[in-house]
Structure formats: structure tokens, C-alpha cells
Amino acid sequence: MKVVFWLLDVNYEVKEGTPEMWLWGIDNSGRRVLIIDRNFIDYFYTFVEESFDPGKVVEEIGKGHYSSIVNLEVVERKFFGKSVKTVKVYCRDPQVISKYAKAFRKLEGVKDCLEDDIRYSMRYLIDNNVVPCGWHEIEVAEETTTVGVQVDKVYLAKSLPKVLEKTEVPQLKILGFSIICYSREGSPKPDRNPVIIISVAANSSEEKQFLADETKDDKQLLEAFMKYVRNFDPDIIVGYGVNGQDWPYLSERCKRLGLRLTVDRAETEPHTSVYGHVSLTGRANIDLSDFVDEFPDVKIKTLENLADYLGVMKIENRKIIEDVEFADYWDNKEKREILKRFSMDNTHCIMGTAEAVLDFAMQLSNLVGLPVDHVVTAAVGFRVEWFLIKHAQKIGELVPKRIEQPYRPYMGAIVLKPESGLHENIAVLDFKAMYPNLMITYNLSPDTYVPQKEPLPSSGVYEAPEVKHRFRKEPAGFYKEVLSYLIGARDEIRQKMKILDPKGVEYRVLDARQKAVKVITNASYGYAGWIGARWYIKPVAEAATAWGRYTIPVSYTHLTLPTNREV
């Protein structure tokens, strides 16, 4: 039978050396489902020296005791645009890949091993074009064996998921929460300081507070909170500062009291995942403090300031209570009600902020390919990089290793010297996506760069002003293809929006998507100069700014102003 589902979360389990991909989602009937796929085999590449026979590498690997290898395949790939010979190594157990790659690097004829550092879950998503926060269709069989998960249905995959062109988002269950801890000795510590208030609010308009008793015993509070979360069964849990503060505190506090903090869909405890975010298996944990940098006008990164900036709740309408005052307010029964109101206002701010940013976060997740809880926490460079990795897989381009690079500064943009005085007939020239367009125009890309020691290609080169870096004119580079796609995709989305009702759901989703596309497009130039980038080649970024410095004055001096009227 076929199931249509919207993908919320992913994880994988390895059982008896065999991986299982777990796809958590919501089907088109609104049921929460788990689809288990045991069919995907992980792999990495052994990069062979140019003059060496890859068949000999296969023979050498065959002589070793590598029980998890299920297949070795000699394939041609591209590396920084150049054809290379590789041995594609398929492994049943993804957990042994790094160990195998380390061993293979010592074999004769092996230059390096690549893509051994890509996680199994991300490999599955990329290779199969499975996108978080997107709809898919899959052939399944119902799983009757109990696996101890909180969903309506469990299925076994009989085919790969096929992505569907559907824009709407299912009706999600969203829960916001905030906590207040009691301490008279400075910052609270979970080994000795109790949680006295947990305030929760749901997008169903339901809200509730859990309070410690008069002796400040918080065991029942924590048990009641966990029971509430399991009963409400949210798809997304949101908070502010929860990755670094609330979840670790609640986990440690539960251990201190002989409890297990189980608020996910797999009866496991919260655990720290990539990018430092806390993962709740089967749900999406969103820490809004990780998103505050998206709003540079918010200078002091507090929940109150973010909520005020977004118009959720104005600071002047709130009574702000500092952490050091919590104990005094709790111990005074008259003031306790003010503390309870403050805690619930925090949760209202969290829910209002979530409503303002979640559409964008989900569309960013869908575009980049990272699950929504990952993409919110990940730095901009990682968001761009995963988008590039998705494209690299489609064109057979190998993904470079991440290499620690020293910081090497280069000259940035131009700032024109202002002319003092009163001006009239002023024209504003906005160069749309200047750096991405310059990178497209001059084919700036790691795979098109021609070092000074190399001969000129037959296609000719673009030479950057001032810095003299050279880039092949043909064929189109990796960055050019990606940026052309992004700019075209945003234009297409905005054209669709013109015929939609601005108050409609589809318009809202598309607007969030075009903003996500814009963010990734404009961040691509920054990625080119980021020393943490896998595809880092300094001349790419340096040439982009050089052409920027050249282009701005040329545009300025050739601008013809209208006469006899103001612009």
C-alpha cells in the first residue's frame, strides 16, 4: 500500500550491524507515522592516484578483513571539476566507515578517502531526494511488531520515498514552554536547586502551569510535565535558550530525583546532536535563541527584546523579573502570582515568536535539506554547505573534506567617499544580489579557478581586476549552476505569489520559501570566503570583492540622472 506523508524528523538505528532509517512524519489523514527503511546501503569513496590502477586498490581491499563491505565499485567522479578515478565502498554498517577509511588511506595508490564523514541519515536524504518539511509518497507494509514508539502507525518501507510537489503544511501540534528555578546562592544548579514553575502553552490555545509544592519539592512537577507532553504529543516543542540551559537542567534534575526525562516519541532521553542542539527523537526541538541572529536590529538578544521587535509583546507592557529575584518572589505568597504571570508571559512570547518564524524555518529546512531542528541551530555556512552537497551529488562532484584553515584576510567591498552638502535629484541604484550575480557572470567557482602556474584553457579566462585571479569561461562552474538555480527559483516563486491571495496559506508558505532562497543565495558569497568551508578557495571570494569594487564605481559614473524633476 502507498502512504503519503510530510517528513518532520529523521534518525537511524543500527541493529545487529544493519542500519534502519527512521522517518517520522504526518500522513495526509493527520496521523502521526513512523516509516522504517532497512534498504539503504551507506558508502564512501576511495580516491585513487591518477597513475594508479583502481582495480589493484579493489584487490588490496579484498584481501583485508572488512566484514561490513557488501560491494566495491570502480567509478569516475569529479573533484573540483576534474575527472578522477575512485572506488566506491558500500558498507552494511555505517558505524565502521570512518575506521575503514582510516585503514584504506594507508593502501598503495590511495590518495585519500572522501565522504566518509557524511552521516548516514544525511546520506539517505541527499541520495534519495528526501526533503525535511516536505511531502512524499512511499510503498509500505504495516509493521505489527511493537517498537515502543508514540505514533498512530508504524510501517516498513518497500520502496524509496518519492518527493511530491505540495506546498501546504499539515496541522502541526506545537508546544512552547519556559522554566523558573529557585536559588538563593547565585545561578541555580540542578544538583541542588529545584524547578519551581514550568509554564506551557499550545497552538490549540491550551495553557497550563506546573508548580512545585510548598516545600519546593519538584518531583511531582517534573512527572506532571512529562505526562502532559506525552498526552499532548507535540510535533514541535519550542523554547528560548533551551539547548544550552533548560533541557540540560531538566535532564540533570530528573536524574537527581531518580527520574528519566522522557518527552520524545521513542521513550529516550534528550541528547545533544550535531551543531549543539538537543534532539528529541520523533519531534522537532526548536530553540528560538538560535534564530535571534536572523534579526540584527535586536542588539540585546533576550526573549523580551525579540518578542518586542516582532510585535508579539511590548516590553513596556511587561513586568520583567530578574533571575536573582525569583526566590524572593516565590517565597512571598503575594508576589508569587506575579512570578507565575511572568513565567506564563515568557511562554506567550515564545509561542508568538514561533508563529512569526516557523514558516521561514520550515522552508529553509526544506530548501537546504537539514531537518528543521538542525537548520535553526546550524551556522549560515553549514546551511549553504548542505545545499551545495545536495547539488554536488546530482552532478557527480565529490565532497571535499573539511580542513582546518588559517585565517587569511582579503580586501572587501568599496565604500564611496560621501560628498558633503545638500543634494537633489537623487537616484537610488540597488544592484540585485550583486555578489551572486558577479559570481555567475564571471564563473567564479572552486572548480573553475586557474592557478597562475597552470596554462590558459582553450575556452579563455575571466581575470579579476586588481587581484588578477583567473577563472575558466567554460564550462559553467559549480557555484554558477547553484546560484543560477537559486535566483531562477526565487523569481519563479515570486511570480506565483502575484496571482495568489496575500492572506492565503499558499501565499504565506511561498513567501517564507522565497525568503529562505534569498538567504541562501546571498550567503553563498560569504561561504566562499569562510575558512570552515569544504569548498574553500580564497581566490574565489577575493575575486568576487574585486569585481564588486570595480562594478560599483562603474555603475555610479555611468548613471544618467533625469533632469528637471526629482527621482
Side-chain angles (χ1 to χ4, degrees), residues 115 315 537:
E115 303 195 12
I315 289 180
I537 292 184

Side-chain angles (χ1 to χ4, degrees), residues 26 218 220 314 497 526:
I26 303 162
D218 56 346
Q220 289 185 342
K314 293 298 179 183
M497 291 170 60

